[in-house]
Structures are given as structure tokens and as C-alpha cells.
């Protein structure tokens, strides 16, 4: 559709149909059909919501980007040393790195707090291309007393 609109615009600007057809490597009769249906094409384009308006994205700050890079390196190192990774361990490491980097980059210390949610972790795995990372489950076997004492020991 985008190509058809560009062809229509180029014809309206006075460019020859033969030259336009060559630039798109298509037959000039195809351009003729596009021009014949110009009104329908333009009506359709105006009625359709642009694709870019349906994409929701959030730009990560400098601290978040650096934290995710460091976390990715740490996770790969842990895997090479065959250390089992749990979601809870990864989340704690992410929070720790984030807080350290936030102190380092004072200008970005404002904003919503980072809580390393399950959703963040799954999106992080996709962004960092860590599809082969195995995370062991701990929900049933978690030692909550040891987990509370661990940050103090660390």
C-alpha cells in the first residue's frame, strides 16, 4: 500500500510513468492500474490507522540499559560455570545492579522504582536473546529463612 501511495504521489508531481515503473522494477501497466484505482487506494489509506500508532514501546534509560548488559554478562558467566540460576536470584542481582548504577548515574535517579517483575524478566530474555537460559523453579522448595538471611551475608 505504501508503494502504491508513493507511485501516485510521484505521478502527481509530474514524473513519467515509465520512469516510475523502472524504479520499482514493474510493468508500466501496473502503474496504470494503480492510478485507475487511485481514489479507492487513497480512501483506504485515510481510513486505516497507521501501524506506528499501534506499537507501544518504552525507551529504557541509560541505567536500565547498562544494568541489562551487565546482568546478561553475569548470567552467561554463571552458566559457563554451571551455576544453577533461579528467577529469584536473577531478580535480586538485577535489583542490586540497578541500584548501584543508579547511584553512579545520579542524573537518572528519579522515576519509578525498578522491581524486576516476571514480565520484565521475560522481556529481558527476549531483548538479550537469552532463549536458552534455564531457570530452575524454587516456589515449592524455597527456604524463606535462608532467603531472608542471604542479603545480610552477601
Amino acid at each position: 500500500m505504501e508503494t502504491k501511495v508513493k507511485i501516485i504521489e510521484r505521478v502527481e508531481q509530474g514524473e513519467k510513468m515509465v520512469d516510475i515503473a523502472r524504479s520499482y522494477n514493474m510493468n508500466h501497466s501496473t502503474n496504470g492500474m494503480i492510478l485507475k484505482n487511485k481514489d479507492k487506494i487513497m480512501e483506504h489509506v485515510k481510513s486505516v490507522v497507521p501501524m506506528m500508532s499501534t506499537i507501544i514501546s518504552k525507551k529504557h534509560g541509560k541505567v536500565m540499559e547498562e544494568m541489562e548488559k551487565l546482568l546478561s554478562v553475569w548470567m552467561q558467566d554463571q552458566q559457563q560455570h554451571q551455576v544453577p540460576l533461579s528467577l529469584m536470584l536473577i531478580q535480586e542481582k538485577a535489583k542490586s545492579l540497578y541500584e548501584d548504577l543508579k547511584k553512579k548515574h545520579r542524573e537518572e535517579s528519579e522515576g519509578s522504582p525498578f522491581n524486576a517483575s516476571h514480565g520484565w524478566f521475560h522481556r529481558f530474555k527476549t531483548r538479550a536473546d537469552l532463549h536458552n537460559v534455564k531457570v530452575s523453579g524454587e516456589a515449592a522448595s524455597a527456604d524463606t529463612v535462608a532467603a531472608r538471611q542471604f542479603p545480610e551475608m552477601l
Side-chain angles (χ1 to χ4, degrees), residues 18-145:
V18 175
D19 295 333
I20 297 170
R22 278 191 198 125
S23 69
Y24 287 103
N25 198 23
M26 59 175 55
N27 195 320
H28 74 280
S29 64
T30 305
N31 285 351
M33 289 302 295
I34 291 171
L35 289 175
K36 182 178 177 182
N37 296 315
K38 172 181 143 182
D39 294 333
K40 290 179 184 176
I41 293 169
M42 297 310 283
E43 187 177 313
H44 178 73
V45 168
K46 289 177 184 174
S47 68
V48 174
V49 177
M51 279 299 282
M52 293 305 289
S53 68
T54 61
I55 297 171
I56 299 171
S57 64
K58 183 177 179 182
K59 177 75 172 123
H60 290 287
K62 185 170 36 172
V63 173
M64 183 68 99
E65 287 179 17
E66 192 173 343
M67 181 273 296
E68 287 186 351
K69 285 179 189 173
L70 292 172
L71 184 64
S72 176
V73 169
W74 176 80
M75 287 175 66
Q76 290 172 354
D77 182 60
Q78 296 299 304
Q79 276 194 309
Q80 286 177 351
H81 290 96
Q82 297 179 344
V83 175
L85 293 174
S86 68
L87 179 60
M88 188 157 107
L89 181 63
I90 294 168
Q91 288 172 321
E92 288 302 317
K93 184 67 174 180
K95 288 179 196 177
S96 170
L97 286 170
Y98 184 79
E99 289 303 317
D100 291 345
L101 290 170
K102 215 163 87 167
K103 290 174 187 169
K104 182 181 169 187
H105 301 281
R106 291 184 195 107
E107 70 276 1
E108 290 195 33
S109 62
E110 297 86 29
S112 59
F114 172 66
N115 62 4
S117 65
H118 288 271
W120 163 81
F121 176 70
H122 291 294
R123 290 186 300 274
F124 162 69
K125 276 180 54 175
T126 303
R127 283 191 298 273
D129 196 29
L130 298 171
H131 52 83
N132 60 345
V133 171
K134 301 286 186 237
V135 178
S136 61
E138 291 186 344
S141 64
D143 184 355
T144 55
V145 175

